[in-house]
Amino acid sequence: MERLIISNTPHVRGNASTRRIMIDVLIALSPAAVAGVVFFGWRAALVMAIALLSSVGTEVLYRLFVKKEDIKRITATYDFTSTVTGLLLGLNLGSQSPWYAPLLGGIFAVGVVKMLFGGTGKNFVNPAIAGRVFLMMSFGTAVSGGWLAPSIGAIAPSESAVPSLVDLLIGTGIAGSIGETSKLCLLAGGAYLVIRGVIDWKYPTIYILVAGLTLSLYKLDFSIFLPSILSGGLMLGAIFMATDYVTTPNTMLGNIVYFAVLGVLTGLFRGITGGESVSYCILLMNITVPLIDRFIAPKPFGYVKPEKKAKAAKEGNNG
Amino acid sequence: MPVLSKSTFKGGVHVPDMKALSSGSAIEVMPAPERVFISVQQHIGKPAVPVVSEGDAVKKGQLIASQDGFISANVYSSVSGEVEAVKKLATNAGMQTFIVVKNDFKDEEVLLDEIDDSDGAAIAKRVGEAGIVGLGGAGFPTFVKITPKEKIDVLLINAAECEPYLTCDHRVLIEYTEQFVEGARLASKALGGAKIFVGVEDNKPDVIEKLSSFDDLNVVPLKKKYPQGGEKQLIFAVTGRKVGIGKLPASTGVCVLNVQTARAIYKAIKERRPLYERVMTVTGKGVKTPKNLLVANGTPYTEILAFCGGMTDDAIKAVAGGPMMGKVLPFVNGYAKKTDSGLLILTDKEANVREPSACINCSRCAKACPMKLMPMYIDLFTLEQKYERAGEYGAMNCIECGACAYVCPAKRDLVGSIQYCKKKLREISAQGGK
């Protein structure tokens, strides 16, 4: 008798895999990474490379020495999640960051936020954001190297002047972290993820629009709506970091609530503090996810609200 | 009648239907084998009690095991010959009693008594007598279904055949159209004149066209999506009625029957033949020549496979039934049952069995769930042995369709977790827990 496999239903499986999803995210991030190198030069490439190496290296070393897995198994089951974390972290840092910033950030993001909590799928906040916030809180802007304007394009004359929308969209002459300045590249990556079915277009859209609206309302100035959604880390955060599967709710309603509240918070933070907003807000909302999923769970098909009973009981009591 | 816009339900998954492997091959009658192994447990409920013993001569269509209690079903011999043994054999559902009949190839047949087919009660009684059970795969005794306490106004024939690969119902609808329609009419009569609806997935336009010529059938084209033929999903798509949690279709005035069940009703009443054979699809890329076969009850799977040219070298998995909900066979050593809609032999590429990895919370399972449950949390809490917490996410409402596990990128055994959780929750409630 031939040897046959025994496994539970269903006996056919779809082609989706965690690895494939993560590779899709990497593909989607690549235009922004290339734009970062074009705008900020070889230092940007170096920062991203160190971030990648330290993130991936941390996972591999942790699994080798703490989980006692052998190298064959690690390569066979490596799902590219820490590669995504590393690249995102690199894109979140300034091109002038000292070499130890991406290194420490990667170790913290993957080692502390992800592996210590149980590895893939168990991180309670987005590792890359936690890495960025960790660096900013520990070393201030010194470690991020400040937000230097790129070498290409006319540099915005002064802080007060608002750059043109075209410059904001393409990233020419815009100061910022390596990956956040070219919105065009980020949007292209986002479109790819939507087409591949990795993310739902609704959620980043809700986040970006609500954040822009909230800020406009706060300042009572709707002319800043477009510049505000095209500047800073909003788009990078909305498309690639707030949509991290692990730290978003599992229902459509839950996600709408999540991204709308996130948008309001970001708008308010931006309006009040004028400083780092997106990463703190995402971090804050990440930890509300279990709560949202607890209270916004779908009712099974065929569920009937016990309204009549409750009403009847109430009326009975009153009578 | 006007063709309605394509109805469907919320959730579900698109699975490549793979029906082209066998949908073109006409139903072939497989000659009865030398020996048939007929199980007395081919239905939901109590096993039937053998009424023959070793050495008895039996004819085709003769009662060999009699139903035990209300939820049970008669079993008939599918060949004429001699009872060689009544013994227990191992199956993938545990040890079962089998009646082994050696075929004398004389093909002598006994028919059931004639009945008055204008009388609904007589039709229902005959359906019970003929050992007819749900031929879609569940095997629930049909007599119980067509004699409900509730008033039934809709007889819904499940012709969705949403399981990928399977084409037996499709072929029956095309080749035995008259028999099927007549069977549905008889069932409707037994139900006191319920209106007949037939739900067909739109990947079978030939069926939709052919059935539309019958004025008393309401053919409803359905969107091709798995599990379109799930009982609750089908009822919702066709009638817009929702079957409540823990309730049966009868509570909404609907009785759902499978295509071949309707045909079996025709055979039992018009031809006076009980249920001892069925059409099944032998398919998968691991089978040399996929076929739709009319198979005698109790035929060994090995002989069915040999009749289809045998397995290919890269076959790695065998399944009785459809690929989404069928039962995996550890060896191809079972025997054809009333409920076998298919015998699948899958290759590695088709089965795509991979080691499960950690859940990444992508929520694809929840989106795919036709019952609107949250499989990821049921899995999580079941593995933590917090069964009651898992129950809060709807574990008991799971219809085990497998849509969640199909889409899972981490290849987790979600169905397995939920099945285990249901078992544990039943134990808890049996012990008088919450």
Side-chain angles (χ1 to χ4, degrees):
Chain A
M1 195 63 71
E2 283 104 307
R3 260 194 67 214
L4 294 172
I5 289 183
I6 303 188
S7 66
N8 209 340
T9 55
H11 305 298
V12 289
R13 291 278 182 126
N15 290 321
S17 71
T18 307
R19 192 183 275 203
R20 180 68 229 184
I21 291 170
M22 292 306 150
I23 290 173
D24 273 340
V25 176
L26 290 173
I27 293 173
L29 280 172
S30 55
V34 171
V37 177
V38 170
F39 287 146
F40 299 104
W42 64 273
R43 289 264 345 207
L46 188 69
V47 168
M48 286 191 284
I50 297 174
L52 271 173
L53 279 176
S54 93
S55 298
V56 177
T58 305
E59 173 170 344
V60 172
L61 291 177
Y62 187 94
R63 288 174 70 173
L64 268 179
F65 294 109
V66 183
K67 296 265 195 115
K68 309 265 187 257
E69 292 178 64
D70 65 61
I71 198 79
K72 249 190 203 162
R73 175 149 177 91
I74 295 175
T75 44
T77 59
Y78 183 68
D79 55 19
F80 286 88
T81 45
S82 48
T83 315
V84 170
T85 300
L87 186 56
L88 269 175
L89 179 70
L91 292 172
N92 264 292
L93 297 177
S95 58
Q96 297 303 312
S97 310
W99 60 272
Y100 56 83
L103 181 73
L104 287 177
I107 293 172
F108 180 80
V110 174
V112 177
V113 180
K114 187 175 128 187
M115 298 315 285
L116 278 186
F117 281 89
T120 302
K122 298 285 187 282
N123 46 292
F124 69 106
V125 290
N126 181 297
I129 291 216
R132 167 168 161 148
V133 169
F134 161 77
L135 290 176
M136 302 200 79
M137 288 171 98
S138 314
F139 304 100
T141 45
V143 84
S144 61
W147 305 133
L148 264 201
S151 49
I152 293 178
I155 292 167
S158 71
E159 285 285 315
S160 57
V162 177
S164 83
L165 287 179
V166 178
D167 280 342
L168 278 173
L169 189 65
I170 301 171
T172 41
I174 304 299
S177 76
I178 297 169
E180 76 187 14
T181 56
S182 178
K183 313 303 173 201
L184 199 62
C185 293
L186 292 172
L187 284 171
Y192 174 78
L193 289 184
V194 169
I195 291 165
R196 292 281 307 165
V198 174
I199 61 170
D200 190 325
W201 64 272
K202 289 194 285 292
Y203 307 144
T205 314
I206 291 175
Y207 178 22
I208 293 169
L209 292 183
V210 172
L213 271 178
T214 310
L215 183 65
S216 307
L217 280 174
Y218 180 79
K219 299 253 177 182
L220 289 175
D221 176 8
F222 281 88
S223 67
I224 62 166
F225 178 74
L226 271 180
S228 82
I229 64 174
L230 285 175
S231 59
L234 181 59
M235 209 148 290
L236 177 64
I239 296 173
F240 291 99
M241 310 219 272
T243 54
D244 171 18
Y245 285 149
V246 184
T247 50
T248 45
N250 280 315
T251 55
M252 197 206 265
L253 183 62
N255 269 308
I256 291 172
V257 169
Y258 175 86
F259 281 94
V261 176
L262 187 55
V264 171
L265 277 182
T266 307
L268 287 178
F269 263 58
R270 279 184 152 185
I272 297 167
T273 69
E276 181 74 15
S277 315
V278 174
S279 45
Y280 286 116
C281 292
I282 293 178
L283 210 55
L284 195 66
M285 285 306 289
N286 277 175
I287 52 179
T288 68
V289 166
L291 212 62
I292 293 177
D293 264 357
R294 185 85 205 253
F295 292 105
I296 305 182
K299 292 278 176 268
F301 181 77
Y303 177 83
V304 188
K305 275 187 196 162
E307 205 172 34
K308 279 180 194 160
K309 253 189 202 166
K311 224 180 186 179
K314 217 179 175 186
E315 277 166 8
N317 283 345
N318 290 345
Chain B
M1 77 160 269
V3 174
L4 298 166
S5 62
K6 277 157 202 167
S7 314
T8 190
F9 61 98
K10 277 188 186 164
V13 287
H14 296 279
V15 184
D17 71 7
M18 305 300 285
K19 292 187 194 270
L21 285 174
S22 57
S23 62
S25 43
I27 297 168
E28 224 176 296
V29 181
M30 182 183 162
E34 201 167 317
R35 261 182 203 84
V36 288
F37 299 74
I38 300 173
S39 169
V40 299
Q41 173 82 77
Q42 304 188 34
H43 48 262
I44 287 179
K46 275 173 120 181
V49 183
V51 293
V52 289
S53 44
E54 211 181 306
D56 287 358
V58 292
K59 286 179 179 166
K60 188 171 168 179
Q62 183 178 330
L63 184 74
I64 52 173
S66 156
Q67 80 173 75
D68 183 15
F70 187 56
I71 303 203
S72 183
N74 285 336
V75 176
Y76 291 83
S77 176
S78 56
V79 295
S80 65
E82 188 191 319
V83 176
E84 214 172 50
V86 178
K87 61 178 179 185
K88 292 219 168 210
L89 290 172
T91 72
N92 59 349
M95 297 298 281
Q96 286 182 359
T97 303
F98 280 80
I99 298 166
V100 187
V101 182
K102 190 171 186 300
N103 193 351
D104 62 8
F105 295 100
K106 287 181 190 152
D107 216 24
E108 288 171 312
E109 196 175 1
V110 281
L111 296 178
L112 300 168
D113 305 327
E114 211 155 332
I115 60 156
D116 172 17
D117 63 19
S118 62
D119 174 14
I123 295 171
K125 191 165 163 261
R126 165 55 53 87
V127 167
E129 185 193 352
I132 297 174
V133 300
L135 297 184
F140 190 78
T142 306
F143 172 74
V144 183
K145 263 188 169 178
I146 61 171
T147 53
K149 290 187 195 93
E150 297 88 346
K151 168 79 186 141
I152 300 292
D153 62 344
V154 170
L155 168 66
L156 178 49
I157 306 289
N158 186 354
E161 203 164 44
C162 63
E163 276 269 11
Y165 289 89
L166 302 185
T167 54
C168 51
D169 289 355
H170 182 181
R171 294 310 309 182
V172 167
L173 286 165
I174 290 296
E175 295 179 43
Y176 303 135
T177 319
E178 300 287 338
Q179 298 185 358
F180 158 73
V181 173
E182 197 49 43
R185 286 177 183 148
L186 289 165
S188 151
K189 207 177 279 173
L191 286 164
K195 226 173 156 192
I196 307 169
F197 286 83
V198 187
V200 192
E201 273 193 354
D202 58 5
N203 58 353
K204 295 179 270 289
D206 47 348
V207 173
I208 296 172
E209 198 195 318
K210 200 154 186 191
L211 291 183
S212 296
S213 61
F214 295 89
D215 289 338
D216 53 342
L217 296 190
N218 299 287
V219 183
V220 183
L222 305 167
K223 203 170 152 191
K224 178 197 148 340
K225 189 167 72 172
Y226 183 82
Q228 188 67 72
E231 203 165 51
K232 292 180 178 183
Q233 285 66 36
L234 184 74
I235 292 172
F236 178 70
V238 173
T239 67
R241 299 178 194 178
K242 280 189 183 176
V243 181
I245 291 172
K247 296 243 171 82
L248 292 171
S251 68
T252 59
V254 182
C255 172
V256 183
L257 293 182
N258 172 263
V259 170
Q260 295 207 46
T261 312
R263 178 173 176 259
I265 294 173
Y266 164 86
K267 299 275 273 185
I269 287 150
K270 297 287 179 178
E271 293 184 6
R272 294 154 56 203
R273 289 192 167 96
L275 180 63
Y276 54 72
E277 61 185 15
R278 70 160 293 148
V279 181
M280 67 191 281
T281 307
V282 187
T283 184
K285 291 207 169 137
V287 174
K288 289 211 174 115
T289 35
K291 284 177 179 177
N292 295 298
L293 292 178
L294 183 67
V295 178
N297 200 225
T299 306
Y301 289 150
T302 44
E303 297 198 24
I304 298 175
L305 264 185
F307 190 73
C308 295
M311 286 201 249
T312 59
D313 293 334
D314 53 352
I316 60 145
K317 203 170 184 185
V319 177
M324 299 301 282
M325 291 186 72
K327 302 271 188 304
V328 67
L329 298 169
F331 306 100
V332 190
N333 66 345
Y335 310 98
K337 300 185 295 288
K338 292 174 182 177
T339 49
D340 286 342
S341 43
L343 179 61
L344 296 189
I345 308 293
L346 301 172
T347 60
D348 183 40
K349 215 180 152 205
E350 292 174 286
N352 203 5
V353 180
R354 299 287 176 267
E355 196 187 337
S357 57
C359 171
I360 54 167
N361 221 25
C362 67
S363 73
R364 288 174 194 210
C365 51
K367 264 186 216 140
C369 181
M371 296 301 292
K372 290 166 77 180
L373 313 179
M374 298 187 92
M376 75 294 264
Y377 286 123
I378 303 177
D379 182 38
L380 176 75
F381 289 117
T382 300
L383 295 180
E384 287 179 2
Q385 303 186 359
K386 293 175 183 161
Y387 306 111
E388 281 164 351
R389 186 75 201 278
E392 287 174 23
Y393 290 99
M396 288 313 284
N397 299 302
C398 175
I399 57 170
E400 298 175 23
C401 69
C404 52
Y406 179 84
V407 294
C408 180
K411 307 283 176 234
R412 299 191 63 75
D413 182 12
L414 296 169
V415 179
S417 275
I418 299 174
Q419 285 166 338
Y420 189 73
C421 179
K422 280 164 102 172
K423 184 174 163 245
K424 284 288 173 186
L425 284 174
R426 275 193 210 107
E427 280 172 24
I428 290 169
S429 70
Q431 285 162 8
K434 285 176 215 170

